Amino acid sequence: MVLEMIRKENDIKKLDEGQLKELAGEIRQFLIEKISRTGGHLASNLGVVELTMALHLTLDFPEDKLIWDVGHQSYTHKLLTGRKDGFDDLRKYGGMSGFPKRKESPCDAFDTGHSSTSISAGLGYVAARELLGQDHSVVSVIGDGSLTGGMAYEALNNASRLKSNFIIVLNDNNMSISENVGGMSKYLSGLRTAQAYTDLKKGVEDTLKRIPGRGDRIVSQIRKTKSGIKQLLVPGMFFEDMDITYLGPVDGHDIRKLLKVFNEAKRVDHAVLVHVITKKGKGYAPAEKDPAKFHGPGPFDIETGEPKASGGPDTYTQVFSKVLTDIGRRDDKVVAITAAMADGTGLASFAKHFPQRFFDVGIAEEHAMTFAAGLAAGGMKPVFAVYSSFLQRAYDQTLHDVCLQDLPVVIAVDRAGLVGSDGETHQGVFDLSFLTMIPNMTVISPKNRWEMADMLRFAVDFQHPVAVRYPRGAAYEGMRQFRAPIEYGKSEVLYEEEDIAVIFVGHMAELADSVRRSLKETGYSCSLINARFVKPLDTELLEELAKDHSLFVTIEENVLTGGFGEQVMDYVLRAALDVHVRNIGIPDEYVEHGNVEVLRKETGLDRETVVKQVVTDYLRLMENNEKGN
Ligand SMILES: Cc1ncc(C[n+]2csc(CCOP(=O)(O)OP(=O)(O)O)c2C)c(N)n1
């Protein structure tokens, strides 16, 4: 096994050409086997095996800086930097992350997870290098999908006229998670079919020169025009016109060609973009055939490519998908928007039924939100389905373009709460805090699958900005007996007792219910309230509850800071209600990757920890009351 010879960074440089070929095959085999067991990003990683090897042959680690956009394709890089053993615990709690992490290795130059950041980060590294008088290489690798994100253009704009070397590798596989979209994608398709720039230029010059009598003159005249012969013949003028040298396109599975172009790129004294063509899923037939399915699969059977676990109850996303399609059938004003996540958000069904009312705008959450605002201002009813962590990208657009004008945009906030194995960059635990502080915003969250449907219908009919927040995974099928109509600003009282009131947000229903049952078994009297509206707060109910309860316990899967619980606490203080408040939620720290149940235990969002906390609070309260008497 050649792979056994790679124990640390730069070991790859000891291999001969034949061994490099073997290594590529072994890496693919290794990735397929490991990911089939742990789950993870497969297709993107299979596509960049030779590209990563060539970069490792060109660069010196950790001195040179390699920045992966999104970072989901960094598995070969991890293998080549001595992290082979980490793949047994890939994405598990305490195990190796599925993304680059500076704390994991000095060879990971920059933490990523969200797309389109690599060119900005690379430029920062270049500027630091110049200011500190250093001379290492800086390389950012960005996919064609990630090149649909606005930040990438802001950075390219900035990279123009750079006075020192900065290599941008465009890993073009013609795919985002699903098919890539938009004008840049089309432009790249054109380039893909062009021959490598240098070959082409020479070929055309030779042909022109052969024109009898006038050939040499034509060539020299063209050379005298503004940008010379390039203007007419060179692919990549979009980049060239910004003074970013374009090299390529080059076959991303041919190590020899890659080495040649990277060595050429290192000699450029400004920004250079190397256009590399790769195949997503390369080397594993099921992934080559359906790269979207193998973008981030769970464990699967290698022979058939079929997932190991399938079936089970509908996920919240599936409920959303069905209900929105149904709503779309009845109301032709309803339009749906995704930022490159048609499958993940469940909008693929809406897209199939109403292609003209569906918009995939690319990985462009900021644009998606303002686009939704425009649609709403223009008389449509837009629903923007987006993962909680990616919604962070569209904050100012939510505040400045949607809410300021009080436009009826529905934000379907999927993957809210802990998402698990994708880790810190993907946990959706901030949205309650950052959304509820915006004027005109309404925030609701369903307790089970039926309420999900009711809330979505409510949201589409609502004439103002509204966010419906729901988690990854199976929709809760308990509490079916509670289905009071959704009423603006009103919570839902499920069990009315006294002393302790447990008030939960959305999918914390199951935990809250089990906490209540445990408390009751120990002899406590406990009410259970489904908040439904995180904004506006049902202050009337809080006033009522304060009359015969001494302890409010709020439960939410969101950071405590600025979350639902703090707002309840704030109201209790301001209204001087005679009740103690305990907030249960995510502490003020980033939550790493791992199984969601494990993460809940780690963050104190499990039954045992909550019950213990509530009992301690209650006993202390009683003690204090006695002292007071
Ligand atoms: C801001 C943001 N939105 C959405 C995503 C989800 N996402 C992860 S990878 C990906 C597609 C990236 O495509 P590309 O850059 O071409 O890489 P490939 O997987 O094709 O190698 C998307 C949309 C993300 N990581 N960040």
Side-chain angles (χ1 to χ4, degrees):
M1 286 274 282
V2 183
L3 187 52
E4 295 299 332
M5 296 163 67
I6 308 287
R7 298 188 187 274
K8 58 175 187 331
E9 56 272 19
N10 307 318
D11 278 355
I12 189 174
K13 291 176 181 160
K14 298 177 200 151
L15 304 182
D16 62 32
E17 206 171 323
Q19 286 174 314
L20 288 175
K21 241 199 170 103
E22 272 177 60
L23 180 64
E26 287 174 20
I27 289 176
R28 285 209 166 82
Q29 205 47 44
F30 179 89
L31 292 178
I32 295 165
E33 269 168 29
K34 292 293 176 189
I35 299 170
S36 76
R37 271 181 243 151
T38 57
H41 287 100
L42 182 63
S44 314
N45 279 297
L46 292 177
V48 297
V49 173
E50 290 85 1
L51 168 59
T52 312
M53 287 169 59
L55 285 168
H56 275 254
L57 289 163
T58 311
L59 302 174
D60 294 318
F61 288 99
E63 294 77 19
D64 290 334
K65 308 302 170 197
L66 177 59
I67 299 157
W68 295 98
D69 208 283
V70 181
H72 63 310
Q73 74 292 58
S74 60
Y75 292 8
T76 298
H77 169 75
K78 294 199 181 214
L79 273 175
L80 298 182
T81 49
R83 282 174 274 177
K84 182 161 158 278
D85 293 344
F87 281 87
D88 289 330
D89 289 325
L90 179 68
R91 293 151 49 95
K92 290 188 190 140
Y93 187 69
M96 187 166 75
S97 166
F99 293 95
K101 292 276 175 223
R102 297 173 71 210
K103 64 181 177 203
E104 200 177 280
S105 164
C107 300
D108 290 0
F110 202 77
D111 289 13
T112 45
H114 292 196
S115 92
S116 320
T117 63
S118 63
I119 307 178
S120 302
L123 269 175
Y125 257 115
V126 169
R129 177 187 69 195
E130 298 315 309
L131 289 167
L132 297 171
Q134 300 166 335
D135 66 353
H136 54 260
S137 291
V138 179
V139 181
S140 296
V141 183
I142 184 165
D144 58 304
S146 300
L147 201 62
T148 58
M151 242 183 112
Y153 296 90
E154 296 171 29
L156 282 175
N157 191 40
N158 200 190
S160 169
R161 293 174 201 281
L162 196 66
K163 296 280 184 296
S164 69
N165 182 262
F166 172 39
I167 302 174
I168 301 163
V169 176
L170 170 57
N171 168 32
D172 181 4
N173 55 24
N174 200 20
M175 294 285 292
S176 195
I177 289 182
S178 38
E179 204 113 315
N180 202 5
V181 296
M184 177 48 81
S185 171
K186 203 162 152 225
Y187 175 70
L188 293 178
S189 292
L191 296 189
R192 231 174 276 134
T193 52
Q195 284 174 37
Y197 159 33
T198 42
D199 297 351
L200 180 81
K201 186 174 140 190
K202 184 148 183 0
V204 173
E205 277 193 13
D206 289 349
T207 313
L208 288 175
K209 278 183 186 164
R210 260 183 261 126
I211 298 174
R214 305 183 50 201
D216 282 342
R217 241 181 48 224
I218 295 176
V219 169
S220 80
Q221 268 170 2
I222 293 175
R223 278 193 179 145
K224 275 188 219 142
T225 60
K226 195 164 153 263
S227 328
I229 200 165
K230 280 198 314 194
Q231 197 78 24
L232 296 174
L233 310 166
V234 174
M237 279 313 289
F238 174 84
F239 305 104
E240 290 271 339
D241 276 345
M242 289 203 291
D243 291 327
I244 297 171
T245 293
Y246 171 92
L247 295 179
V250 56
D251 177 353
H253 301 297
D254 185 328
I255 293 189
R256 206 189 289 193
K257 282 192 185 148
L258 286 168
L259 287 177
K260 192 166 157 239
V261 77
F262 287 148
N263 282 320
E264 203 175 319
K266 273 176 90 170
R267 289 200 298 271
V268 175
D269 64 0
H270 50 272
V272 49
L273 182 135
V274 184
H275 188 183
V276 176
I277 310 300
T278 60
K279 183 158 188 58
K280 201 162 176 170
K282 171 97 175 162
Y284 180 52
E288 283 193 23
K289 200 162 145 238
D290 191 350
K293 179 173 156 192
F294 286 91
H295 180 84
F300 61 91
D301 181 278
I302 297 181
E303 285 296 306
T304 63
E306 288 311 310
K308 284 203 174 131
S310 60
D314 278 352
T315 60
Y316 279 100
T317 305
Q318 285 167 325
V319 176
F320 166 78
S321 174
K322 285 180 194 166
V323 176
L324 190 72
T325 304
D326 189 46
I327 293 173
R329 215 168 270 131
R330 286 154 210 232
D331 188 344
D332 60 12
K333 287 247 166 74
V334 173
V335 291
I337 303 158
T338 180
M341 307 290 287
D343 291 324
T345 58
L347 282 185
S349 157
F350 190 96
K352 203 173 103 209
H353 287 89
F354 319 107
Q356 286 178 336
R357 286 190 273 140
F358 167 76
F359 303 92
D360 180 350
V361 299
I363 313 179
E365 290 81 5
E366 310 94 305
H367 158 64
M369 189 63 83
T370 303
F371 176 58
L375 276 160
M380 303 304 287
K381 293 183 180 173
V383 177
F384 175 28
V386 57
Y387 290 6
S388 169
S389 72
F390 304 145
L391 174 61
Q392 289 159 198
R393 277 282 164 93
Y395 194 60
D396 185 57
Q397 290 75 4
T398 308
L399 190 151
H400 174 274
D401 299 324
V402 174
C403 291
L404 179 59
Q405 302 178 76
D406 198 20
L407 289 166
V409 171
V410 177
I411 312 171
V413 188
D414 197 334
R415 305 304 198 270
L418 295 168
V419 296
S421 39
D422 277 337
E424 287 144 323
T425 51
H426 286 60
Q427 313 287 13
V429 293
F430 304 100
D431 56 281
L432 291 183
S433 309
F434 70 68
L435 288 175
T436 50
M437 58 149 286
I438 307 178
N440 289 337
M441 177 56 90
T442 292
V443 182
I444 52 183
S445 190
K447 68 178 181 294
N448 62 15
R449 62 171 300 152
W450 297 282
E451 200 162 80
M452 174 74 205
D454 295 346
M455 282 190 172
L456 189 58
R457 290 180 202 284
F458 170 88
V460 171
D461 287 338
F462 195 56
Q463 297 299 309
H464 309 275
V466 53
V468 188
R469 173 197 215 250
Y470 49 95
R472 178 174 186 268
Y476 185 42
E477 299 199 335
M479 299 184 173
R480 191 177 182 171
Q481 70 275 32
F482 301 109
R483 201 174 175 177
I486 310 290
E487 207 183 316
Y488 178 72
K490 291 285 165 218
S491 298
E492 181 187 40
V493 179
L494 304 178
Y495 296 99
E496 199 173 355
E497 296 188 355
E498 50 195 29
D499 277 356
I500 301 171
V502 174
I503 314 173
F504 67 84
V505 175
H507 68 283
M508 289 293 95
E510 214 173 336
L511 170 64
D513 195 37
S514 75
V515 165
R516 175 178 177 270
R517 268 186 277 121
S518 291
L519 289 171
K520 282 193 66 69
E521 277 162 22
T522 344
Y524 292 93
S525 171
C526 183
S527 298
L528 188 64
I529 288 100
N530 170 18
R532 278 192 168 174
F533 284 76
V534 180
K535 182 176 186 179
L537 267 193
D538 187 352
T539 51
E540 216 175 287
L541 179 69
L542 295 180
E543 300 263 359
E544 264 319 295
L545 290 172
K547 288 178 188 159
D548 47 11
H549 293 78
S550 48
L551 176 63
F552 288 174
V553 180
T554 65
I555 308 183
E556 64 196 304
E557 202 164 67
N558 189 83
V559 288
L560 287 166
T561 314
F564 171 73
E566 279 200 359
Q567 291 172 49
V568 170
M569 175 107 77
D570 178 61
Y571 183 78
V572 163
L573 282 174
R574 280 190 293 118
L577 301 184
D578 184 18
V579 61
H580 182 82
V581 184
R582 164 61 59 185
N583 296 151
I584 306 287
I586 309 283
D588 182 24
E589 60 197 40
Y590 289 101
V591 181
E592 73 163 83
H593 51 275
N595 172 286
V596 169
E597 289 315 311
V598 175
L599 297 181
R600 285 194 181 135
K601 259 203 151 60
E602 288 297 317
T603 50
L605 275 168
D606 62 304
R607 184 182 54 82
E608 215 174 299
T609 313
V610 177
V611 169
K612 217 160 126 193
Q613 181 68 63
V614 174
V615 169
T616 310
D617 285 341
Y618 190 79
L619 292 179
R620 185 172 301 160
L621 207 60
M622 292 303 107
E623 213 176 284
N624 287 348
N625 282 351
E626 263 166 39
K627 272 192 219 151
N629 290 338

